[in-house]
Amino acid sequence: MTPSNPVPPIVPETPTPSTARSEVWGSDAIARMLHRLEVPYVALVPGASFRGLHDSLVNDLGNKTPQMLTCIHEESAVAIAHGYAKASGRMMGAILHSNVGLLHASMAIFNAWCDRVPMLILGATGPWDAARRRPWIDWIHTMSDQGGLIRSFTKWDNQPASVPAAYDALLRAAQMATTAPRGPVYVNLDAGLQESKLSELPPLPDVSRFRAPESVQPSPDLVRRAADLLSNATTPVILAGRGNHTLERWRARVALAEKLNARVITDLKVGAVFPTRHPLYVGPPGSYLSEAATKVLREADVVLSLDWIDLAGTLKQTFGDQPITAKIVSASCDVHLHRGSGMECFGLPPVDVNLLAEPDVVVPLLVEACRARRSSPPAAAPADAPTRAHDVMNLRAVADAFNEATDGIDVCLTRLPLGWRGSYRHFTHPLDYLGADGGAGVGSGPGMTVGAALALRGSGRVPVALCGDGDYLMGVTALWTATHYGIPCLFIVCNNRSFYNDEAHQERVAITRSRPVENKWIGQRIGDPDMDLAMMAVAQGAKGIGPVTHPDQLAKAIKDGLRAVMDGEVCVIDARVLPGYDADVSGEKRAVERSTGRA
């Protein structure tokens, strides 16, 4: 199946050319600085606090670099910037209206922080000069420390008081956001500064002199020590965590694993970083270690952690209260981002060689420095069980139908639902799967999918989100942005009509307290009335398919959805799956059920 038409450019909103070119305003200078920084897009929900900047983006820049992407909710605006960064590795922007827009967006900013993606967030506040504030509205939308609302989960924030200070703030923000460990930054623009008339435009700086620095490399001595440990290991294991989604970095990881004959474990939270059909791979991948991966890690004598999320927790899952006998080599600079307010720093792991550098920098150095280990390669992984006919609509039925429908098609999975078993689909390319949202909340899936789809336009990959109904419903208005700007993507909503993970929690509490398990659904189910998820998509200009209620209908529905996306449409399939986790999830199911997230 191939696209019937070439991928068109994103739908432009071209303004009528402005003839008023003699006057210059503070927001004009800020907009031109964003242009110099080559920010491609800014996602926003319009707001009066940045009306000056809005005018400058349209009438001074002509709505080009950055182009505005109108959104319906601030959380979707930030999620779009998040998904764009995950798929492209590039920073885009989001603009948030005053304190109220920032409060709306705070969950999505937390996701970006936990996921370590670069993002430039511009905010605005009512005039800092109280004499210039309009009655009522400018007072409730002005804060003395607006950045403080999100300071614990951003890399840096600033509120410049002049145009030269705004230049400096934007340069510094872009530099910090794109320096590892990457993350969101926030620049709050005073409405008075934006709307101040300038006698002349202050000279714009040469942005090439303020780029993010080259990635830091570990010392040769540290690389040698790590290489010696790995080369002399008997049973080395690589924990492949956060990594760049490029083929070059993918191949480097494979080359290192093969040179060391090291077993490799990955994590569904970070996306595709290693081929899951490789003989050295230990799976299936999950948000927690599978039983096979736990056994291999427990037997390791040297462990190379490549920016693995929650290394201490993984070691605790593996070794319990027993001593950790393996030597640990860590390649991560994540320690530079830890704060004291949140606990997303996780536990403190034991490390014998701390390379304090990005894994994508370290891996090629280790490929060069390590000696090839001579040992018997592991036995090839057993072949996948043949696809079987399904009598019920569960996640396995969705997976089998999806695999059948996408045979021969390059897709990029932008989201997977809670309860998905890692063995349901193999990854052979770094863009096969982008990973989770970082913060493990609900509602980011639609926006992140739209952002990823924006970045993937023209790549030949079809962006697909397999998401839960709760995730879809909380972020559903992101679909309008996709349809409005012509950003094709497919949503397969695994609709169990419930916040099911919390049903499982209520069941465990009821059992513990000897209370009726039959009541677990109360306060969890999404029904009576039933919501038509496909029609929600149609209402926003997308194609809706479903509800699909029987496994025999799934493959055709997915093929129809793929065809629609390849023809340039946004499409949603309402797949009515049974509440609950598939019966064959075993150890991974128990680990997922211990989590506190929602379905």
Side-chain angles (χ1 to χ4, degrees):
M1 190 182 294
T2 57
S4 57
N5 298 301
V7 177
I10 185 172
V11 174
E13 294 176 319
T14 305
T16 301
S18 174
T19 58
R21 308 295 295 176
S22 58
E23 296 179 334
V24 182
W25 305 86
S27 58
D28 292 343
I30 293 167
R32 294 183 195 186
M33 191 69 231
L34 294 174
H35 182 80
R36 281 281 180 99
L37 289 168
E38 300 180 342
V39 177
Y41 305 101
V42 285
L44 57 85
V45 177
S49 62
F50 60 87
R51 67 186 186 183
L53 179 59
H54 193 129
D55 171 79
S56 296
L57 292 172
V58 172
N59 291 313
D60 190 55
L61 290 189
N63 198 25
K64 294 179 181 177
T65 318
Q67 178 181 348
M68 293 192 297
L69 303 178
T70 307
C71 301
I72 309 301
H73 196 288
E74 284 90 353
E75 190 170 344
S76 293
V78 173
I80 286 171
H82 186 170
Y84 182 88
K86 283 178 79 76
S88 70
R90 292 186 61 193
M91 175 190 75
M92 68 169 271
I95 308 180
L96 308 175
H97 169 48
S98 192
N99 52 350
V100 288
L102 184 61
L103 288 164
H104 261 312
S106 59
M107 177 66 231
I109 297 170
F110 179 70
N111 282 335
W113 163 263
C114 290
D115 210 23
R116 309 308 191 225
V117 298
M119 184 185 300
L120 175 62
I121 304 167
L122 299 178
T125 183
W128 191 241
D129 181 354
R132 300 178 63 179
R133 291 179 198 151
R134 295 172 294 162
W136 177 63
I137 192 67
D138 277 348
W139 287 87
I140 62 174
H141 285 178
T142 300
M143 293 186 66
S144 60
D145 184 20
Q146 195 160 289
L149 292 173
I150 56 170
R151 188 165 296 136
S152 62
F153 44 94
T154 48
K155 285 191 73 175
W156 182 74
D157 70 272
N158 189 251
Q159 184 171 322
S162 67
V163 168
Y167 286 171
D168 181 83
L170 291 171
L171 286 168
R172 189 186 299 269
Q175 184 185 81
M176 294 184 72
T178 53
T179 299
R182 295 162 188 83
V185 292
Y186 179 70
V187 177
N188 190 30
L189 301 170
D190 173 26
L193 167 62
Q194 295 176 59
E195 299 185 22
S196 61
K197 190 174 181 178
L198 306 178
S199 58
E200 60 180 357
L201 182 74
L204 287 160
D206 178 2
V207 299
S208 66
R209 303 185 70 184
F210 301 91
R211 300 287 188 192
E214 294 294 322
S215 297
V216 175
Q217 297 197 1
S219 71
D221 179 61
L222 282 175
V223 174
R224 179 190 56 77
R225 288 169 54 194
D228 284 348
L229 278 175
L230 291 164
S231 301
N232 293 317
T234 302
T235 51
V237 170
I238 297 173
L239 294 174
R242 299 184 186 99
N244 193 297
H245 290 284
T246 65
L247 269 176
E248 178 187 8
R249 300 309 187 192
W250 173 279
R251 289 167 179 158
R253 294 181 208 113
V254 173
L256 179 61
E258 290 177 347
K259 191 169 188 179
L260 293 172
N261 199 32
R263 305 306 300 273
V264 179
I265 300 168
T266 65
D267 183 349
L268 279 182
K269 295 191 291 294
V270 300
V273 292
F274 195 85
T276 55
R277 290 188 186 275
H278 196 285
L280 290 168
Y281 182 74
V282 185
S287 295
Y288 300 86
L289 293 188
S290 66
E291 292 178 3
T294 301
K295 181 177 185 296
V296 166
L297 186 58
R298 190 181 295 120
E299 295 170 352
D301 59 345
V302 179
V303 176
L304 172 62
S305 172
L306 300 176
D307 209 7
W308 185 263
I309 296 175
D310 193 9
L311 176 59
T314 297
L315 294 173
K316 184 175 182 179
Q317 178 189 342
T318 303
F319 294 97
D321 296 329
Q322 299 301 310
I324 300 171
T325 54
K327 296 290 185 182
I328 309 295
V329 178
S330 175
S332 174
C333 51
D334 199 58
V335 66
H336 291 306
L337 217 55
H338 296 169
R339 303 288 183 88
S341 56
M343 295 298 109
E344 65 276 1
C345 58
F346 305 107
L348 187 64
V351 174
D352 299 283
V353 180
N354 193 340
L355 296 168
L356 200 61
E358 295 173 84
D360 289 323
V361 171
V362 166
V363 168
L365 298 176
L366 291 176
V367 171
E368 183 69 24
C370 287
R371 300 185 304 277
R373 288 183 61 253
R374 295 183 178 180
S375 58
S376 300
D384 295 332
T387 301
R388 64 181 187 273
H390 293 276
D391 297 324
V392 297
M393 283 275 285
N394 55 18
L395 288 180
R396 179 59 188 266
V398 174
D400 287 347
F402 182 71
N403 292 336
E404 176 189 339
T406 57
D407 186 32
I409 301 174
D410 289 332
V411 302
C412 176
L413 281 170
T414 62
R415 179 57 52 107
L416 290 173
L418 189 65
W420 180 269
R421 184 167 168 80
S423 60
Y424 287 169
R425 187 171 178 87
H426 285 286
F427 304 136
T428 60
H429 187 281
L431 287 177
D432 280 352
Y433 171 54
L434 294 182
D437 62 10
V442 183
S444 63
M448 287 181 63
T449 297
V450 174
L454 176 62
L456 291 168
R457 286 172 62 84
S459 68
R461 286 196 168 258
V462 180
V464 181
L466 287 164
C467 59
D469 49 323
D471 192 34
Y472 173 80
L473 288 167
M474 288 190 190
V476 67
T477 56
L479 271 66
W480 180 87
T481 301
T483 58
H484 180 71
Y485 292 101
I487 305 171
C489 45
L490 175 62
F491 295 86
I492 303 172
V493 184
C494 300
N495 181 8
N496 61 17
R497 286 86 64 209
S498 171
F499 291 100
Y500 181 76
N501 193 62
D502 284 301
E503 281 199 47
H505 281 290
Q506 295 308 128
E507 179 178 345
R508 287 192 295 280
V509 172
I511 292 171
T512 299
R513 299 179 179 182
S514 300
R515 292 174 176 175
V517 170
E518 294 78 11
N519 294 332
K520 67 179 183 178
W521 64 274
I522 297 175
Q524 312 287 357
R525 298 284 172 88
I526 305 171
D528 298 323
D530 195 22
M531 284 194 271
D532 193 329
L533 306 190
M535 286 305 295
M536 287 182 176
V538 172
Q540 299 178 79
K543 180 181 177 68
I545 298 175
V548 180
T549 59
H550 194 276
D552 291 345
Q553 305 168 333
L554 265 175
K556 181 182 183 302
I558 295 172
K559 288 177 181 177
D560 290 346
L562 290 167
R563 171 56 65 189
V565 173
M566 290 177 171
D567 287 342
E569 295 186 77
V570 178
C571 182
V572 171
I573 300 171
D574 180 0
R576 299 294 178 92
V577 299
L578 293 174
Y581 298 118
D582 293 357
D584 59 349
V585 174
S586 63
E588 188 175 346
K589 172 187 174 182
R590 290 192 296 272
V592 171
E593 288 182 341
R594 286 194 295 269
S595 73
T596 57
R598 292 176 288 183

